[in-house]
C-alpha cells in the first residue's frame, strides 16, 4: 500500500491523480491533501477520501473549511505546513502538483525526506534543478516525471542503453495560436489563451502552452531529469498530441510513447512504476486519428521557446530568473494588464537586467527569484505608464 500526500489536490493534476487513486483503493491511501483556497472543492474531496490532514494555505479558507468537514480531519494553514505534510513519516509518496514557484519548497521537503516524488511542478526544476537533483540523490528519494513528455521519455529510456542515446525529441501541440498570423496575436484574450486545443489544464500552464514557454520550461526540465545538455533536446511541433515524446538512439531507432492526451496515463504510470495499472484512459484508436503531423517550431512568432533555450545555456540562476519573469508576465496577462505579445519582452528584459550567478544553493535561487520578480514588475509598471 502506498500512502500519499497530494500537493495541489484541487487543481487539474491533483484531481486527475485522485481519479486514478479512486480506481485502486486497495493500492493507495490518501494521508494529506493541500490547496490554496478552494474550499468547496476541498470539502468534497475530504468527504470522499477522508485524509488525516488538510492544508489550506489561505487562513480564511481553512476557517471556512473547518465548518464543513468531519472533525477528525486535522486542518492546517500557512505555507510552512505544506512542507510538513510533504515530510510526514507515514507518507511514502508525494504528488507535487502545486503550480509555480510556490511548489518548490514542499517538493524539496519531500525529496529531503526520501519520498517517492511524482513531479508535475516543472517550475521547481526550472528554478533550481541542481539543488533538487542533489537533494533527491543525497536522500535516497525517487523522482518520477508526471509531465506527459518527460513521462514518455522516461518510458522510452527504461531498459535501454544510455550510451547509445543520441537525443530526445519533445513534442509540442503548438498551442491555440499555432496557425494564427503574427499581427492577430496582439489581440489575444486570456480566455482564448486558456482554451487549449488538446489538453484541459490550469490557467497558468495553458497560457504557457500558448506562448510556447511551457515547451521552453520542459526543455529545461528534460535537461535536469535526463542529465542532458540543451543541444540534445529537439522540439517538434505535433498538433495532434498523440505522440507524447520520442528518444533517438545511435542505431537510427526512434522510440516513442503514444496515447490519448489524458494526464491520467503518466500519473498511473508513475504511481505504479515499475508495474502498470489501469488509469481510466480510453484506448487510442489509430484509425480514428488517421494521420500524425510534424512541424518545426516558429521561434520568431514564439520567442519564449528561444529564451528558455538561451537561459538553459547561460546556466546558473538564469532559468530561475526566466521562470520568475514568466510568472509575473502571465499573471499580468491573465489580469488584462499586459498584452500577450509583451510576455516574451518582459522575460527578455528581466534576463538582461539581472545578474546571473551560480545556482548550487537554495538561498541564491530564492534571492534570484525574488529579485527577478521585482525587476519584471518594475518593467511592466513602466510600460503601463
Ligand atoms: P491548477 O491551477 O489546476 O492547480 C494548481 C493547484 O495548486 C491547486 O490545487 C491550487 O489550490 C494550488 N495552488 C495554487 N497556488 C498555490 C500557492 N501559492 N500555494 C499552495 N498551493 C497553491 O494547475 P495544474 O494545471 O494542475 O498544474 C499544476 C502543476 O503541474 C504545474 O506546475 C503545471 O505546470 C504542471 N503540469 C500540469 C499539467 C496539466 O495537464 N494540467 C501537465 C503537465 C504539468
Ligand atoms: Mg507537458
Amino acid at each position: 500500500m502506498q500512502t500519499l500526500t497530494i500537493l495541489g489536490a484541487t487543481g487539474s493534476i491533483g484531481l486527475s491523480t485522485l481519479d486514478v487513486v479512486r480506481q485502486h483503493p486497495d493500492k493507495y491511501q490518501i494521508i494529506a491533501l493541500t490547496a490554496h483556497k478552494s474550499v468547496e472543492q476541498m470539502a468534497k474531496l475530504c468527504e470522499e477520501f477522508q485524509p488525516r490532514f488538510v492544508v489550506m494555505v489561505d487562513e480564511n479558507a481553512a476557517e471556512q473549511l473547518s465548518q464543513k468537514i468531519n472533525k477528525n480531519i486535522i486542518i492546517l494553514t500557512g505555507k510552512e505546513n505544506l512542507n510538513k505534510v510533504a515530510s510526514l513519516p507515514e507518507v511514502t509518496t508525494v504528488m507535487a502538483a502545486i503550480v509555480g514557484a510556490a511548489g518548490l519548497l514542499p517538493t524539496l521537503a519531500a525529496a529531503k525526506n526520501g519520498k517517492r516524488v511524482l513531479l508535475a511542478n516543472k517550475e521547481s526544476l526550472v528554478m533550481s534543478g541542481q539543488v533538487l537533483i542533489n537533494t533527491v540523490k543525497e536522500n535516497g528519494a525517487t523522482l518520477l516525471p508526471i509531465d506527459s513528455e518527460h513521462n514518455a521519455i522516461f518510458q522510452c529510456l527504461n531498459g535501454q542503453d544510455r550510451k547509445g542515446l543520441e537525443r530526445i525529441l519533445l513534442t509540442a501541440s503548438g498551442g491555440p495560436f499555432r496557425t494564427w498570423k503574427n499581427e492577430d496575436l496582439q489581440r489575444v484574450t486570456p480566455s482564448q489563451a486558456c482554451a487549449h486545443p488538446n489538453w484541459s489544464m490550469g490557467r497558468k500552464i495553458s497560457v504557457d502552452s500558448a506562448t510556447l514557454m511551457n515547451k521552453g520550461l520542459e526543455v529545461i526540465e528534460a535537461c535536469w531529469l535526463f542529465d542532458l545538455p540543451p543541444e540534445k533536446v529537439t522540439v517538434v511541433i505535433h498538433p495532434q498530441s498523440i505522440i507524447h515524446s520520442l528518444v533517438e538512439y545511435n542505431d537510427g531507432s526512434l522510440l516513442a510513447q503514444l496515447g490519448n492526451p489524458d494526464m491520467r496515463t503518466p500519473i498511473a504510470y508513475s504511481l505504479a512504476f515499475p508495474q502498470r495499472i489501469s488509469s481510466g484512459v480510453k484506448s487510442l484508436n489509430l484509425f480514428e486519428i488517421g494521420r500524425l503531423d510534424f512541424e518545426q517550431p516558429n521561434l520568431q512568432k514564439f520567442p519564449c521557446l528561444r529564451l528558455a533555450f538561451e537561459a538553459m545555456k547561460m546556466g546558473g540562476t538564469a532559468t530561475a530568473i526566466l521562470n520568475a519573469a514568466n510568472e509575473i508576465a502571465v499573471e499580468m496577462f491573465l489580469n488584462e494588464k499586459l498584452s500577450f505579445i509583451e510576455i516574451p519582452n518582459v522575460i527578455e528584459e528581466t534576463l538582461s537586467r539581472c545578474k546571473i550567478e551560480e545556482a548550487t544553493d537554495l538561498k541564491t535561487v530564492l534571492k534570484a527569484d525574488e529579485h527577478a520578480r521585482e525587476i519584471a514588475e518594475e518593467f511592466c509598471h513602466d510600460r503601463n505608464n
Side-chain angles (χ1 to χ4, degrees):
M1 177 73 104
Q2 283 186 55
T3 46
L4 269 68
T5 286
I6 303 188
L7 302 167
T10 55
S12 160
I13 293 289
L15 294 174
S16 293
T17 306
L18 288 165
D19 190 56
V20 178
V21 167
R22 181 181 288 129
Q23 299 169 54
H24 301 278
D26 54 320
K27 291 191 172 69
Y28 308 103
Q29 187 197 348
I30 301 295
I31 304 291
L33 297 175
T34 86
H36 188 209
K37 55 183 175 189
S38 4
V39 176
E40 296 303 325
Q41 182 68 264
M42 186 56 98
K44 272 194 231 147
L45 297 179
C46 285
E47 186 171 320
E48 182 179 356
F49 292 96
Q50 293 293 322
R52 224 171 286 161
F53 298 93
V54 173
V55 182
M56 297 300 282
V57 174
D58 181 86
E59 220 170 292
N60 287 333
E63 177 57 36
Q64 285 171 32
L65 186 71
S66 70
Q67 315 293 322
K68 291 179 187 275
I69 63 170
N70 184 339
K71 295 283 174 272
N72 299 330
I73 301 175
I74 299 170
I75 304 176
L76 304 167
T77 185
K79 54 186 181 187
E80 296 73 25
N81 278 313
L82 296 172
N83 306 347
K84 177 179 167 166
V85 296
S87 315
L88 293 168
E90 63 265 47
V91 163
T92 60
T93 307
V94 175
M95 166 55 84
I98 290 174
V99 59
L104 173 62
L105 295 181
T107 305
L108 274 172
K112 216 173 269 169
N113 286 277
K115 305 298 184 199
R116 182 180 171 103
V117 183
L118 313 187
L119 186 72
N121 178 254
K122 62 191 91 189
E123 293 91 345
S124 53
L125 269 180
V126 172
M127 288 176 76
S128 68
Q130 190 70 68
V131 177
L132 182 53
I133 295 293
N134 290 350
T135 308
V136 166
K137 283 190 187 146
E138 285 159 14
N139 297 284
T142 307
L143 195 59
L144 293 162
I146 293 298
D147 219 339
S148 57
E149 297 76 3
H150 306 74
N151 192 272
I153 292 161
F154 186 79
Q155 295 195 39
C156 296
L157 290 173
N158 196 19
Q160 307 293 320
D161 176 14
R162 259 307 284 261
K163 287 203 292 290
L165 177 66
E166 283 290 317
R167 62 173 177 155
I168 61 179
L169 296 101
L170 280 184
T171 52
S173 69
F177 309 128
R178 180 178 59 91
T179 57
W180 283 38
K181 291 200 199 79
N182 273 12
E183 54 269 31
D184 294 337
L185 291 180
Q186 286 171 16
R187 290 190 304 274
V188 163
T189 64
S191 61
Q192 286 171 324
C194 288
H196 196 277
N198 306 336
W199 297 93
S200 142
M201 309 182 286
R203 282 164 72 79
K204 192 259 176 184
I205 184 176
S206 297
V207 177
D208 286 347
S209 299
T211 60
L212 289 203
M213 180 52 96
N214 183 50
K215 211 48 54 182
L217 300 178
E218 290 184 356
V219 169
I220 300 166
E221 183 185 14
C223 293
W224 287 113
L225 280 173
F226 306 115
D227 193 19
L228 292 169
E231 296 76 22
K232 293 227 171 194
V233 183
T234 304
V235 172
V236 181
I237 303 294
H238 164 46
Q240 292 94 349
S241 298
I242 295 298
I243 297 182
H244 298 309
S245 276
L246 313 90
V247 167
E248 182 175 351
Y249 292 99
N250 56 2
D251 59 5
S253 297
L254 285 169
L255 302 193
Q257 186 256 353
L258 287 74
N260 280 311
D262 186 322
M263 290 306 291
R264 291 176 300 173
T265 296
I267 290 167
Y269 180 83
S270 300
L271 273 172
F273 178 79
Q275 292 171 345
R276 296 267 185 181
I277 55 168
S278 59
S279 64
V281 175
K282 73 176 194 323
S283 165
L284 177 65
N285 186 332
L286 289 174
F287 301 114
E288 258 169 35
I289 290 159
R291 55 181 280 177
L292 299 173
D293 296 295
F294 307 98
E295 298 166 9
Q296 292 270 8
N298 182 340
L299 298 187
Q300 277 72 46
K301 193 158 125 191
F302 300 107
C304 286
L305 180 57
R306 167 180 62 79
L307 291 170
F309 267 104
E310 285 172 9
M312 189 63 201
K313 285 178 188 158
M314 286 180 219
T317 51
T319 56
I321 295 165
L322 171 101
N323 180 67
N326 181 55
E327 285 191 24
I328 296 293
V330 170
E331 196 184 295
M332 303 261 305
F333 166 70
L334 284 172
N335 292 328
E336 298 185 58
K337 293 193 175 120
L338 189 78
S339 76
F340 184 78
I341 51 167
E342 288 259 65
I343 295 173
N345 299 343
V346 175
I347 300 162
E348 187 151 32
E349 191 60 30
T350 306
L351 267 170
S352 76
R353 290 190 195 181
C354 290
K355 188 166 141 237
I356 291 153
E357 295 176 85
E358 288 280 307
T360 44
D361 67 280
L362 185 61
K363 213 172 132 206
T364 309
V365 170
L366 294 177
K367 217 179 80 201
D369 171 77
E370 198 185 314
H371 183 60
R373 281 168 201 270
E374 285 165 14
I375 300 287
E377 268 167 4
E378 207 176 273
F379 175 72
C380 293
H381 185 258
D382 293 350
R383 274 285 160 115
N384 287 341
N385 288 312

